[in-house]
Amino acid sequence: MKNLNLSKKMMLVFLGSIACTILFSFFFIHYLYTDLYKERIKESIIYQGNRTAAHYHYGELSDSIIEKIQWYNIVSEYEIIVVDRLDDLTSYFPYQLDYQSLVTESDQEILATGQSVMKEGYVEELKREIFGGIFPVKGEDGLIGFIYIYVPLAAIQDVFRASLPIMIVVGVVFFFILFLILQRVWRSLFDPLKTLQAYSEEVSKGDYSNRLNTGRDDEIGKLATAFNSMSHSLAEQDQRKKEFTSNIVHELRTPLTYISGYAQLSRDKIDRSPEEVKQYLSTIEKETERLKKLIHDLVELNHLEQDFYTLENEPIAIAQLLFDTLELFAIRMEGKGIHLQTSIDEELILQGDPKRLQQVFYNTIDNAVKYAQQEITILLMANEKGVQYEVSNDGVTIGDEDVERIGERFFRTDKARNRTTGGSGLGLSIVKEIVRLHQGTFEVSNKTTDTTVTIKLPVAPELAQRSEV
């Protein structure tokens, strides 16, 4: 059974159902024959035997009684034998039942008490089953005679001769209709599964374009929906993987190109002035640090996405944490001439990881400083569920098609990836994962001249405890 596919198993179930139905029909017909037909014959024999014995008076057979018995033997299916002595019965019925005498010693003992004896058995000469009864007739001085009434039993096919064709026709029609129904169910069940199997093989080869449309709401429809969802997710993951590979190659190539180029210049122009060589080495150092930061951010992001990081859950004066972070950008904002507007509720207390939340503040403010031209607005306030943090900057606007992608790995709105803004495109991805671990929400909105990052954190989130690997 383990090596059979589902269609063969269903075929076995169907054939087994037919076999069980035929077997049940056989036993049911046998039951009708044994318990109904034979029982009816038995009751009729007992009735006729008692009725005939009532006409047998004192051992004498009048002409009227003989005529009645002969007439009854002619018009009835029953045979009646009346004898004065039990030994004479074998003369009128010279057959054996199941190769035994008609009357056995135990039968004689029962008849002697005045009770009737029912006899059943196969008579080879008649090629039939015989069912009958011996009825004793009592007189004033004891038993004065015996009446034997018997009838050859009809074969089971004779009993159901009239109804058998109807049963066969009804059975054929029933199984034909059942076959049509099962064939339709079979096709509706296995055609989508065969298609799903073929599509799954295509998925294993990297083709995620196929979709299974059944228009059904049953288990097959749900399976098709799950397959379509899986194919869509795999297609998106494959696209992200390709973009990730392309992006990381691009991000790694740039610093490595600079490092290789300036290292070669330093080697080839070793006779140049120390200041020029120092400048080359300084560029190599910057690009090395940029490469290290890229790798560090990538490892950290993967660490957060795989839920390997255990958050430090403690009460935090969130406003103070934000003020401390803003101090780190004071010189940069002053150098760019950026005006900072803040609205911060200093009474807010939040449960979370202070190191990771400061990283959220740092990355979002750093991103705003990079792209702001004149103004940055920061809000920290209570909302209906906890704390809401917003950072807005004017300047570069984001296309609607890019807003949903902010927070993806290596995604940056500056398609040219110019070196003036720098960055690896991982900062907001890390922010998004930290917010998720704090059971908060991350959202980016784009207005005419402003871009706003909104983060909502619950006051007392139920942080999942994870073991650090």
Side-chain angles (χ1 to χ4, degrees):
M1 288 293 289
K2 293 182 179 180
N3 298 327
L4 296 179
N5 56 32
L6 185 58
S7 61
K8 292 182 179 179
K9 290 180 180 178
M10 288 195 64
M11 178 60 73
L12 287 178
V13 171
F14 174 66
L15 295 177
S17 301
I18 294 178
C20 290
T21 303
I22 295 174
L23 191 63
F24 170 78
S25 301
F26 170 78
F27 283 112
F28 181 70
I29 293 174
H30 189 270
Y31 162 77
L32 293 178
Y33 177 78
T34 304
D35 291 354
L36 298 183
Y37 172 70
K38 285 187 176 181
E39 188 65 26
R40 182 181 66 81
I41 295 295
K42 179 180 179 181
E43 292 177 355
S44 179
I45 288 176
I46 293 175
Y47 171 76
Q48 296 296 340
N50 293 330
R51 184 180 179 184
T52 304
H55 294 287
Y56 195 0
H57 299 289
Y58 306 108
E60 296 180 359
L61 290 173
S62 63
D63 293 338
S64 62
I65 295 176
I66 293 174
E67 290 178 359
K68 288 181 179 179
I69 293 175
Q70 292 176 348
W71 175 81
Y72 191 79
N73 285 336
I74 294 173
V75 301
S76 173
E77 59 180 338
Y78 299 99
E79 295 288 338
I80 300 179
I81 300 174
V82 181
V83 295
D84 294 330
R85 295 182 306 125
L86 193 60
D87 294 338
D88 296 337
L89 186 59
T90 56
S91 300
Y92 293 94
F93 188 84
Y95 308 116
Q96 291 184 331
L97 296 181
D98 291 337
Y99 306 99
Q100 293 183 359
S101 299
L102 176 63
V103 182
T104 63
E105 293 182 0
S106 60
D107 295 335
Q108 293 177 6
E109 294 176 358
I110 295 174
L111 292 170
T113 62
Q115 299 180 16
S116 60
V117 175
M118 304 304 297
K119 303 294 293 184
E120 178 183 5
Y122 180 76
V123 177
E124 185 176 4
E125 293 80 358
L126 301 178
K127 306 298 182 183
R128 286 287 184 91
E129 290 276 343
I130 298 296
F131 197 88
I134 302 175
F135 299 88
V137 181
K138 292 183 180 181
E140 294 181 352
D141 298 327
L143 298 178
I144 58 175
F146 299 91
I147 299 174
Y148 178 48
I149 300 179
Y150 70 92
V151 59
L153 295 177
I156 188 168
Q157 61 268 25
D158 297 331
V159 175
F160 297 98
R161 185 182 302 277
S163 59
L164 196 59
I166 299 176
M167 295 175 62
I168 293 175
V169 172
V170 172
V172 171
V173 172
F174 169 75
F175 284 117
F176 179 72
I177 294 175
L178 180 62
F179 173 76
L180 292 179
I181 294 174
L182 287 179
Q183 186 182 37
R184 186 168 183 177
V185 172
W186 196 294
R187 293 178 61 184
S188 66
L189 179 63
F190 287 103
D191 285 353
L193 290 180
K194 290 179 180 178
T195 305
L196 182 62
Q197 181 182 5
Y199 286 177
S200 299
E201 291 176 357
E202 294 298 321
V203 168
S204 66
K205 297 176 183 178
D207 183 5
Y208 311 113
S209 61
N210 296 316
R211 297 293 182 269
L212 188 61
N213 298 317
T214 61
R216 297 163 55 168
D217 295 328
D218 57 3
E219 287 77 5
I220 297 296
K222 293 178 180 178
L223 180 61
T225 301
F227 172 81
N228 293 339
S229 177
M230 179 195 70
S231 297
H232 180 71
S233 298
L234 289 175
E236 289 185 341
Q237 290 181 12
D238 186 64
Q239 182 63 28
R240 291 194 189 101
K241 181 177 69 175
K242 292 178 181 178
E243 290 181 358
F244 173 78
T245 303
S246 175
N247 291 332
I248 196 170
V249 167
H250 179 91
E251 295 292 342
L252 292 175
R253 181 187 292 125
T254 302
L256 288 176
T257 300
Y258 274 89
I259 292 172
S260 175
Y262 281 102
Q264 187 175 358
L265 284 174
S266 300
R267 183 194 62 191
D268 296 342
K269 299 181 180 182
I270 193 66
D271 56 338
R272 294 293 183 92
S273 63
E275 290 78 11
E276 189 173 358
V277 174
K278 185 176 181 181
Q279 182 181 359
Y280 294 160
L281 295 177
S282 176
T283 302
I284 292 174
E285 183 181 10
K286 289 179 181 178
E287 293 302 324
T288 302
E289 290 298 323
R290 183 165 174 252
L291 183 60
K292 287 172 58 179
K293 185 178 187 306
L294 173 64
I295 296 174
H296 176 269
D297 289 346
L298 187 60
V299 171
E300 184 176 35
L301 178 60
N302 187 68
H303 195 66
L304 292 171
E305 287 179 341
Q306 298 297 324
D307 294 342
F308 292 153
Y309 183 76
T310 302
L311 292 177
E312 298 292 336
N313 189 13
E314 61 183 63
I316 306 169
I318 193 69
Q320 186 59 48
L321 192 65
L322 179 56
F323 285 134
D324 293 341
T325 307
L326 285 173
E327 290 182 2
L328 301 176
F329 293 92
I331 298 176
R332 283 180 59 189
M333 285 189 287
E334 183 178 354
K336 290 187 64 174
I338 296 175
H339 176 64
L340 176 64
Q341 290 187 352
T342 61
S343 177
I344 300 175
D345 185 350
E346 299 184 9
E347 302 297 327
L348 295 177
I349 301 296
L350 182 68
Q351 191 91 357
D353 189 323
K355 179 182 177 181
R356 290 302 181 184
L357 289 178
Q358 187 170 31
Q359 191 174 10
V360 168
F361 292 150
Y362 185 92
N363 288 359
T364 53
I365 296 172
D366 178 65
N367 195 70
V369 171
K370 287 177 183 178
Y371 296 102
Q373 292 184 354
Q374 296 179 352
E375 186 176 83
I376 293 177
T377 303
I378 294 178
L379 303 178
L380 185 65
M381 57 187 177
N383 61 11
E384 64 278 4
K385 294 184 179 180
V387 172
Q388 181 169 326
Y389 165 71
E390 294 183 5
V391 54
S392 304
N393 65 273
D394 64 350
V396 179
T397 57
I398 304 174
D400 294 336
E401 68 279 4
D402 292 336
V403 170
E404 296 296 329
R405 297 195 59 191
I406 293 179
E408 294 182 8
R409 289 188 179 193
F410 295 112
F411 179 76
R412 296 192 304 185
T413 57
D414 53 332
K415 305 299 183 181
R417 302 178 184 273
N418 59 76
R419 297 174 58 81
T420 59
T421 56
S424 62
L426 297 176
L428 291 184
S429 299
I430 294 175
V431 168
K432 197 172 182 179
E433 287 303 313
I434 294 175
V435 171
R436 181 185 65 84
L437 291 175
H438 281 82
Q439 299 185 0
T441 60
F442 174 89
E443 181 182 357
V444 178
S445 59
N446 185 37
K447 297 181 181 179
T448 305
T449 58
D450 295 334
T451 300
T452 302
V453 174
T454 302
I455 295 173
K456 297 179 181 179
L457 299 171
V459 172
E462 297 176 359
L463 301 179
Q465 299 299 321
R466 304 175 178 87
S467 300
E468 187 172 0
V469 177

